[in-house]
Amino acid sequence: TAFAYEFFRPRAANVDWFSVFWKPYILPKHRFTSWLLAHGRLRTADTIPYEPNKLCALCHQQDESNTHLFFDCEIVKPLLDKVKTWMDITFDITDMASYLDTFRQHYKGKGRQMKARHLALSSMIYLIWNARNMSRFENVVPCFEKIFHKVQVHVWRFVDCK
């Protein structure tokens, strides 16, 4: 019966990032990049032993790490603040743990605004990672106004489709 099935079925561990990233309306590449960030698995310069240049590819001032690149970098902070203001996110997001805690505790639900917030931050994470890679490997200086516009486009496409 159903009770016996549930009793013997193996259970996966509850993880704190699942409810934040694994949403059907978030693009898979954005979900995957956010998932890698949540696990500290994005290959930033600090995780590559043979990388001679450990400086951030965007600001060139501090060593590049997941926390620095997405939350502390002086080039990225204005973009994060702009997205937070646009999405009316009032809580401080200083690292991945605070990002997960904020969204699990304060921004849950199924409303359009909640979905837009999840979508905006996950697309921002993906676009920052993309800008970092363009800067590091192709010497292209990113324009963060364009990145903010791309975040807006991702959110508006979702809003227009629903």
Side-chain angles (χ1 to χ4, degrees):
T1 67
F3 177 75
Y5 172 75
E6 286 299 319
F7 181 77
F8 288 109
R9 182 174 67 98
R11 300 239 192 283
N14 287 339
V15 289
D16 58 356
W17 49 262
F18 184 84
S19 64
V20 177
F21 300 131
W22 250 236
K23 308 279 186 190
Y25 48 84
I26 297 175
L27 292 174
K29 61 186 177 181
H30 297 182
R31 272 187 262 171
F32 184 67
T33 304
S34 298
W35 179 78
L36 286 173
L37 177 61
H39 286 82
R41 295 292 193 182
L42 286 174
R43 298 291 287 178
T44 50
D46 67 326
T47 65
I48 304 172
Y50 52 83
E51 176 63 49
N53 180 11
K54 301 284 186 186
L55 289 179
C56 174
L58 300 177
C59 72
H60 305 288
Q61 295 175 2
Q62 294 184 17
D63 284 353
E64 185 180 85
S65 67
N66 285 317
T67 300
H68 170 76
L69 185 62
F70 293 95
F71 304 104
D72 295 336
C73 181
E74 294 302 318
I75 304 296
V76 172
K77 271 185 181 180
L79 175 65
L80 177 61
D81 291 340
K82 196 168 185 174
V83 170
K84 283 173 48 182
T85 301
W86 179 55
M87 286 285 112
D88 195 29
I89 297 171
T90 56
F91 294 91
D92 204 22
I93 299 174
T94 57
D95 58 12
M96 199 62 202
S98 66
Y99 173 84
L100 292 171
D101 289 342
T102 297
F103 271 79
R104 269 197 332 269
Q105 295 173 14
H106 305 289
Y107 297 113
K108 51 187 172 182
K110 298 186 186 221
R112 190 171 279 193
Q113 177 134 10
M114 292 301 161
K115 290 178 180 179
R117 286 177 176 142
H118 285 274
L119 190 61
L121 284 176
S122 65
S123 66
M124 184 194 73
I125 288 169
Y126 171 79
L127 292 167
I128 289 170
W129 183 245
N130 194 34
R132 175 261 185 201
N133 288 337
M134 295 286 285
S135 178
R136 182 164 295 276
F137 301 117
E138 298 177 24
N139 293 323
V140 174
V141 178
C143 173
F144 284 92
E145 280 301 316
K146 286 183 181 178
I147 292 175
F148 179 69
H149 180 69
K150 286 180 182 180
V151 169
Q152 288 179 314
V153 168
H154 287 141
V155 172
W156 288 331
R157 280 187 184 154
F158 164 75
V159 170
D160 287 344
C161 292
K162 303 298 174 194

